[in-house]
Amino acid sequence: MRVSLKSILIGSATLLGVAAAGQGVVSVVKLRAIEREVNEVATNWLPSVNVVNTISTATRDVRVKLYRFVVASETPQALAENEAGLNTALKTLDGLRRTYEPLISSAEEKALYDTFAPLWSRYTEGQQKVIELMKAGRQADALALTTSAAMADLNNGAIRALQRAVDFNREGAQRSTALSMASAGSAMLTAWIAMAISVVAALGAMLFSLFGVARPIERMTRTMGRLAGGDTGVEIPSRTRRDEIGDMAAAVSVFRDNLLQTRKLEAETVLARAGAEAQRQAAMRAMADSFEGAVGGI
C-alpha cells in the first residue's frame, strides 16, 4: 500500500488542527455551562436564600413588635408609637416578599412559598384582631390572643415554610456549584487530552520528518553525489519505500543502471575498435607479404 509523504504530513497537521479545534469547542461549551451555573447561583439561588432568610427574620420581628404593642402600650402615645413600629415591620416584610416573588424559578419553590402565604395571611388576620382589641381597651383579651397556641402555630408554620424555601434554594446553589465544578473538571480533562494528542502528533511529525524524510534525503543526496563522481558500485538506499523517497530511489537506480549500460557500451565500443584495428593491421601485413612475394617472383 502506497502512503505518500504529503498524506502523512497533511494527516499530522489535520490531527493537530482537530485536537486544537476539539479542545476549543469543548472549552467553549463547558465555559458556557459554567457561566450559566454561576449566573444561576449569583442571580437566583443566593439572592433567594438571603431574601427568604430576611423574610423569616422579619416575621419574627413582626411577632416581637406585636407582643410589644400589647404589653407596652400603657398610654395612648405608646400605643400609637408601637402600632407605627408594627406597621413599619409589616411594610418591610411586604417589600421583602415583593423582592422574593420574582426570584421563584420552579414549581417546587412556588409550592413552598404558597405554603407560607396562607399561613402568614391568617396570622396577620389574627394580628388585626389583636390591634382592634387593644384599641377597644381589651388588653387582656389582646394578650391572650397574641400568646395563644393558634397564633404561635401560624407563626411557627410560616417560619418552617420559609426555612424549607431556604433549604431548597441552598441545595439549588450547591447543585449549581457542583455542576460548575464538574464542567470545569471536564474542560480541564479535555484540555489535557487534547494537549497530549497535540504533543504526540507534533512529536510524531517531528520524528517522522527527521528520520523518515530528512535523513533519507540526505543519504540519497550523498548517493547521487557518488554516482555523479562515477562510483557505480554505490548502494541505492530506500528502494523498498512506497512513497516519494522510494520514487526518488527508483529514479536514482535507473540513473545508475543507465550509467552502467553506458559504460558497458563504451567498453564494447573500445573492444570493437581494437578488434577492427587488429584486423586492419593483419590485412595490411597480409597485403605487404603478398606484395613482397609478388615482387620476389618477378
Side-chain angles (χ1 to χ4, degrees):
M1 179 179 178
R2 177 183 174 84
V3 180
S4 67
L5 297 178
K6 180 173 69 174
S7 300
I8 295 174
L9 295 175
I10 290 176
S12 300
T14 301
L15 181 60
L16 288 171
V18 169
Q23 178 186 358
V25 170
V26 172
S27 297
V28 169
V29 172
K30 295 300 181 181
L31 287 174
R32 289 296 299 274
I34 292 171
E35 179 185 17
R36 184 171 58 254
E37 297 300 333
V38 170
N39 183 68
E40 186 73 11
V41 171
T43 61
N44 182 25
W45 299 121
L46 290 183
S48 295
V49 169
N50 293 333
V51 175
V52 175
N53 273 325
T54 307
I55 291 175
S56 181
T57 302
T59 59
R60 292 182 175 91
D61 185 53
V62 168
R63 187 175 183 182
V64 169
K65 282 184 167 54
L66 179 63
Y67 184 78
R68 180 182 179 82
F69 173 73
V70 173
V71 300
S73 299
E74 298 177 353
T75 65
Q77 182 180 358
L79 180 68
E81 290 177 354
N82 289 330
E83 184 179 4
L86 178 59
N87 289 332
T88 300
L90 288 171
K91 288 180 181 178
T92 300
L93 180 57
D94 289 339
L96 291 170
R97 290 180 65 179
R98 286 193 298 271
T99 300
Y100 171 64
E101 287 168 0
L103 297 175
I104 297 175
S105 59
S106 67
E108 184 178 357
E109 186 176 6
K110 188 175 185 305
L112 293 173
Y113 184 72
D114 289 343
T115 302
F116 160 78
L119 291 172
W120 186 249
S121 178
R122 289 166 58 191
Y123 180 83
T124 55
E125 290 174 0
Q127 180 179 265
Q128 186 61 37
K129 291 180 181 178
V130 170
I131 295 173
E132 292 173 357
L133 289 171
M134 286 295 295
K135 288 182 177 180
R138 299 168 58 185
Q139 184 179 16
D141 294 335
L143 180 60
L145 180 57
T146 301
T147 58
S148 66
M151 290 287 284
D153 289 342
L154 290 173
N155 188 270
N156 292 333
I159 291 174
R160 286 193 295 270
L162 291 173
Q163 185 58 48
R164 287 194 294 271
V166 169
D167 295 339
F168 174 82
N169 283 282
R170 184 179 291 115
E171 290 169 2
Q174 292 172 350
R175 285 194 304 271
S176 293
T177 301
L179 288 173
S180 298
M181 295 298 295
S183 296
S186 178
M188 182 67 70
L189 178 62
T190 302
W192 279 110
I193 292 174
M195 185 171 64
I197 292 174
S198 299
V199 169
V200 170
L203 182 62
M206 181 184 69
L207 293 176
F208 179 76
S209 298
L210 176 62
F211 296 103
V213 179
R215 293 284 180 84
I217 289 178
E218 182 181 356
R219 290 194 296 268
M220 192 67 64
T221 302
R222 289 198 300 266
T223 300
M224 294 173 69
R226 292 176 62 182
L227 282 174
D231 184 4
T232 57
V234 65
E235 181 67 24
I236 307 298
S238 305
R239 287 186 297 175
T240 59
R241 291 182 57 159
R242 302 185 62 80
D243 54 20
E244 289 83 351
I245 301 295
D247 295 341
M248 187 183 301
V252 173
S253 180
V254 171
F255 175 76
R256 185 189 63 176
D257 293 342
N258 289 338
L259 182 60
L260 289 171
Q261 185 65 25
T262 300
R263 288 190 174 182
K264 180 180 178 181
L265 292 175
E266 289 177 350
E268 291 176 352
T269 301
V270 170
L271 290 175
R273 287 178 180 176
E277 182 63 23
Q279 290 178 3
R280 186 183 67 79
Q281 290 180 359
M284 291 294 292
R285 285 195 295 271
M287 186 182 295
D289 292 342
S290 176
F291 180 75
E292 183 178 357
V295 171
I298 293 171

